[in-house]
Amino acid sequence: MDSKKSDLPGYAIIDTHKGSITVELFKDSSPDVVDEFIDLCQRGRLKGMLFRHIIKHYVIQAGDIDKLGSIEDWTTRGKHYSQLDTSLKHEAFMLGTSKAKHDNQGFDLYITTAPMPDLSEKLIVFGRVIKGEDVVQEIEEVDTDEHYQPKSGIGITNVTLKLKI
C-alpha cells in the first residue's frame, strides 16, 4: 500500500488563461479526494473547466457545478468573523473541493485567496499552492457580476501531474 501511495503524483501544475499554478497534493491526509482529482486529471476532465465564481479576498471556484448557494452563504457569513483560525487548513492558497455531495453532477475546485475560518465546515482540503500565487491573485482580479461570476470566460487549459517538483 505504501509503495502504491509513493507512485501517485504529489503535485499538479494547473495551467490557466492567466498562467500556471503549481499545487502540492495532500496524498496522506486526503487520499480519496486526491485519487478522484488525479483520475479526473488523467481523463482530461479538468481541461476546459471554467472558473465559475470569484470572490475577491476570499476564494476562486472552478467546476462543473454552477450553483450559488454555498458561495453566497460563505460570503455572507465568512466576512463577519473577527478572529481567524491560523491553522494550516485555514490559510490562503489552499486547494479544496466541497464536502457537499452533488449527486455525481461534477467536481468543483476551490482555491482560497485569504484565510477562511469556516473552511473545515465547507471544504475538504487536499492541497496547497506552492507556486503561482500571483496567478491566483490575477484570476481574483477579473471583473465579476453581482453573482460573483466572471464577466469574461477564464478557465483551466491543462493539468499536468508530477511525482516530484
Side-chain angles (χ1 to χ4, degrees):
M1 184 83 170
D2 287 338
S3 64
K4 186 180 179 199
K5 242 187 227 185
S6 65
D7 292 342
L8 290 175
Y11 301 89
I13 300 170
I14 302 169
D15 296 320
T16 74
H17 291 109
K18 298 286 186 182
S20 296
I21 302 165
T22 302
V23 295
E24 176 184 10
L25 302 174
F26 297 160
K27 300 185 285 187
D28 293 330
S29 61
S30 303
D32 292 341
V33 176
V34 170
D35 286 348
E36 180 181 9
F37 176 77
I38 289 170
D39 181 58
L40 291 171
C41 291
Q42 289 172 335
R43 293 187 338 203
R45 292 280 313 275
L46 299 184
K47 188 175 183 176
M49 184 179 281
L50 294 175
F51 286 94
R52 301 280 186 193
H53 300 100
I54 298 172
I55 303 174
K56 195 170 184 173
H57 306 300
Y58 210 57
V59 68
I60 61 175
Q61 180 240 338
D64 300 325
I65 302 148
D66 199 19
K67 296 180 181 175
L68 284 174
S70 62
I71 292 287
E72 289 177 337
D73 184 48
W74 293 2
T75 305
T76 305
R77 290 185 317 114
K79 293 186 179 182
H80 297 293
Y81 286 95
S82 58
Q83 294 202 350
L84 301 177
D85 185 331
T86 56
S87 67
L88 178 64
K89 65 183 178 180
H90 295 104
E91 290 181 3
F93 304 110
M94 301 309 285
L95 182 70
T97 191
S98 176
K99 281 186 176 182
K101 295 294 177 196
H102 300 288
D103 301 322
N104 294 325
Q105 292 178 8
F107 187 82
D108 51 3
L109 185 69
Y110 293 85
I111 300 175
T112 62
T113 61
M116 290 180 63
D118 60 343
L119 182 63
S120 60
E121 296 173 19
K122 301 289 181 184
L123 294 182
I124 299 169
V125 174
F126 68 95
R128 68 182 167 114
V129 175
I130 59 170
K131 184 178 179 186
E133 293 91 341
D134 57 327
V135 175
V136 173
Q137 290 170 329
E138 193 172 333
I139 293 169
E140 182 181 39
E141 293 297 323
V142 302
D143 287 335
T144 60
D145 64 18
E146 66 275 5
H147 299 289
Y148 310 105
Q149 296 176 329
K151 291 182 178 178
S152 59
I154 182 168
I156 296 171
T157 57
N158 196 31
V159 180
T160 305
L161 299 170
K162 301 274 187 181
L163 287 174
K164 297 179 183 178
I165 292 293

